[in-house]
Amino acid sequence: MASPEIEALTQALARLPGLGPRSARRAVLHLLKKREAALGPLRAALEAVDERLETCATCGNVDTANPCAICADPRRDQRSLCVVEEVADLWALERSRLFPGRFHVLGGRLSALEGIRPEDLAIDALVTRIEAGGIDEVVLAMNATLEGQTTAHYLADRIERFPVRVTQLAHGLPVGGELDYLDEGTLAQALRARRPV
Amino acid sequence: MASPEIEALTQALARLPGLGPRSARRAVLHLLKKREAALGPLRAALEAVDERLETCATCGNVDTANPCAICADPRRDQRSLCVVEEVADLWALERSRLFPGRFHVLGGRLSALEGIRPEDLAIDALVTRIEAGGIDEVVLAMNATLEGQTTAHYLADRIERFPVRVTQLAHGLPVGGELDYLDEGTLAQALRARRPV
């Protein structure tokens, strides 16, 4: 019988996506065997993330500064706004270094199945940003999934009344694919060929 | 591009067995999305393990006390010692609540392939414990692998000169096992060790 501390750590790890109870137990044993090399660094990394990272009040990115480095960067194109579902999608686009503007993270996608409604996402905040003016183009960079595309259409409807060009990533994305898993070449194609909705 | 804190956490998680770079990234995103429900508890659990747990100097178990709760328990049979490869094996036996004695954790198994020699395991400490006297039986509870069995034979040779009974876990059909699905090695062992009904 392991101690309560070990049980608690096993359960906390088992709740991570990709780990179950058995692999969490293996991970805990690994951490206990390599306290210096594995447990220490993981603990320090978690502490740093927990203490230093905050969510950007403007765009929803996660960074050490608020507003985040992207929002605060004067060299970024202020007239161009890219809307993504998750922070991971923002990172994927940033890795490709192709989008010169700023971002808006919705925090998910509309989903009847999961009961995620417009008010559960940062959509009002997006409308407020566009309403404030100074934006020429809104790129809807949703995942090419049914729910992502539904979300894009809903957003296009909500944004229609503003004098901005609304575009979406070209269908170079494989159907069913998610941004985070795409190679940069495909991402580049999709961004370059973006079209009006 | 994620912040250095996030990259560090991703790398620390990716080094856990069962997680790779991609699943570590997913796990980090999950932690960032559920800071209260997931990141906080995981951080607290890691801290508790790191700060409160130590390795029992007697048996090699991991516990909040040193000597551990098992070694310190006067109701455990002091005359019976069970030798296991890893702490996980000790926990598995404790879950079964069947072994009344105490334990000795080797910290691995002999392995020519991985270059693990007798002096890399807690074998001298085991010999010292037996030499000190008061032990009647040593149960060698190694894994039923080639390396586990090699280790058991090596230990049996080292312990031979002491007046203790040396036993090992029986090999045979696992409970619920079907003949048709068993490997020949297990079948051979089960047949060789057959007993009167």
Side-chain angles (χ1 to χ4, degrees):
Chain A
M1 222 70 70
S3 74
E5 287 82 3
I6 290 170
E7 289 303 329
L9 179 56
T10 309
Q11 280 170 30
L13 282 171
R15 278 195 292 268
L16 293 180
L19 280 177
R22 284 222 171 262
S23 46
R25 190 170 290 279
R26 295 230 142 228
V28 168
L29 284 163
H30 173 81
L31 290 171
L32 286 172
K33 273 199 99 167
K34 315 234 161 149
R35 288 180 80 140
E36 300 288 307
L39 200 153
L42 179 57
R43 182 186 165 181
L46 263 179
E47 271 172 25
V49 162
D50 197 18
E51 268 158 30
R52 290 192 219 137
L53 290 193
E54 29 189 345
T55 301
C56 175
T58 308
C59 76
N61 187 14
V62 175
D63 198 5
T64 42
N66 180 6
C68 73
I70 295 173
C71 284
D73 186 348
R75 291 162 305 176
R76 308 285 300 209
D77 182 358
Q78 312 286 309
R79 312 197 70 77
S80 192
L81 191 66
C82 182
V83 184
V84 293
E85 295 180 19
E86 302 279 6
V87 175
D89 305 327
L90 186 161
W91 295 343
L93 281 161
E94 276 299 274
R95 276 197 297 274
S96 78
R97 293 167 199 268
L98 284 166
F99 185 69
R102 296 194 293 171
F103 291 94
H104 190 87
V105 180
L106 293 177
R109 67 218 61 83
L110 297 177
S111 168
L113 217 61
E114 295 170 46
I116 298 171
R117 297 153 306 169
E119 55 266 40
D120 299 321
L121 305 176
I123 293 177
D124 285 342
L126 172 65
V127 172
T128 305
R129 281 181 86 176
I130 296 168
E131 210 162 22
I135 294 171
D136 292 338
E137 180 181 6
V138 175
V139 183
L140 300 177
M142 270 61 270
N143 286 327
T145 57
L146 184 61
E147 291 175 342
Q149 295 308 301
T150 305
T151 308
H153 283 147
Y154 176 85
L155 291 178
D157 281 350
R158 287 282 299 267
I159 298 169
E160 206 179 25
R161 62 192 167 102
F162 299 110
V164 294
R165 201 155 64 94
V166 181
T167 56
Q168 65 176 353
L169 296 187
H171 274 289
L173 307 186
V175 174
E178 298 185 19
L179 284 196
D180 194 23
Y181 283 86
L182 275 184
D183 65 288
E184 287 178 17
T186 311
L187 260 182
Q189 292 255 12
L191 193 62
R192 214 175 295 128
R194 64 186 185 269
R195 311 164 304 172
V197 175
Chain B
M1 223 66 72
S3 73
E5 288 83 2
I6 289 171
E7 289 303 330
L9 180 56
T10 309
Q11 279 170 30
L13 281 171
R15 278 195 292 267
L16 293 179
L19 280 179
R22 285 228 171 256
S23 46
R25 191 171 289 279
R26 296 235 138 219
V28 168
L29 284 162
H30 173 81
L31 290 172
L32 287 173
K33 274 200 97 167
K34 314 233 162 152
R35 287 180 81 138
E36 301 287 306
L39 200 153
L42 179 57
R43 182 186 165 182
L46 263 179
E47 271 173 25
V49 163
D50 198 18
E51 269 159 29
R52 290 192 220 137
L53 290 192
E54 30 188 344
T55 301
C56 175
T58 309
C59 75
N61 187 14
V62 175
D63 198 4
T64 42
N66 181 5
C68 73
I70 295 172
C71 284
D73 186 347
R75 290 162 305 177
R76 309 282 304 208
D77 183 358
Q78 313 285 309
R79 312 197 71 77
S80 192
L81 190 66
C82 181
V83 185
V84 292
E85 293 180 19
E86 301 280 5
V87 175
D89 304 328
L90 186 161
W91 295 343
L93 281 162
E94 275 300 272
R95 276 198 296 277
S96 77
R97 292 169 197 269
L98 283 167
F99 186 69
R102 296 193 293 170
F103 291 93
H104 191 87
V105 181
L106 293 177
R109 66 217 62 78
L110 296 177
S111 168
L113 216 62
E114 296 169 46
I116 298 171
R117 298 153 305 169
E119 53 267 40
D120 299 320
L121 305 176
I123 292 178
D124 284 342
L126 172 66
V127 171
T128 306
R129 280 181 87 177
I130 297 168
E131 209 161 23
I135 294 171
D136 291 339
E137 181 181 5
V138 175
V139 183
L140 301 177
M142 268 67 263
N143 286 329
T145 57
L146 184 62
E147 292 176 341
Q149 295 308 299
T150 305
T151 309
H153 283 149
Y154 176 85
L155 290 178
D157 280 351
R158 288 282 300 266
I159 299 170
E160 205 179 27
R161 61 191 168 105
F162 299 109
V164 294
R165 201 154 64 96
V166 181
T167 57
Q168 66 176 353
L169 295 187
H171 291 168
L173 308 184
V175 174
E178 297 177 47
L179 286 196
D180 196 19
Y181 288 89
L182 275 182
D183 61 288
E184 288 175 21
T186 307
L187 263 182
Q189 292 260 15
L191 195 60
R192 213 176 297 131
R194 65 187 181 273
R195 306 166 309 171
V197 178

